[in-house]
Amino acid sequence: MTRSCARPGCGQPACATLGYDYANRTVELDPLADEAHPAYYDVCRRHADSLVVPRGWRLLDRRRGAAALAGHLTAS
Ligand SMILES: [Zn+2]
């Protein structure tokens, strides 16, 4: 089962899960979660790569390694 990017008008297959940690002012970018989570957004690779974090926040990109491999190995 494939989920779609949450960005309006996009519709590309999601490849990453995006979460906002308000307490730590951190935007977390993880490999796509197995199950949809109400507090997280699924985004496609393009939107994950073009992500802009709010001023004063930092981006924690945890896709490295696992996501790069998954991108080559999964066709679903
Ligand atoms: Zn997208």
Side-chain angles (χ1 to χ4, degrees):
M1 183 192 286
T2 303
R3 297 200 300 277
S4 302
C5 179
R7 298 288 181 184
C10 181
Q12 292 293 307
C15 78
T17 295
L18 183 62
Y20 288 88
D21 182 343
Y22 291 95
N24 295 308
R25 290 193 176 190
T26 301
V27 180
E28 299 173 350
L29 200 53
D30 287 306
L32 186 64
D34 290 336
E35 294 183 16
H37 188 290
Y40 297 97
Y41 304 91
D42 296 328
V43 291
C44 67
R45 182 179 299 267
R46 184 167 65 88
H47 279 122
D49 288 341
S50 64
L51 184 68
V52 176
V53 301
R55 182 187 297 268
W57 287 52
R58 66 194 179 94
L59 175 64
L60 183 61
D61 189 345
R62 293 192 288 225
R63 294 178 303 155
R64 298 189 197 291
L69 277 176
H72 288 293
L73 295 176
T74 57
S76 60

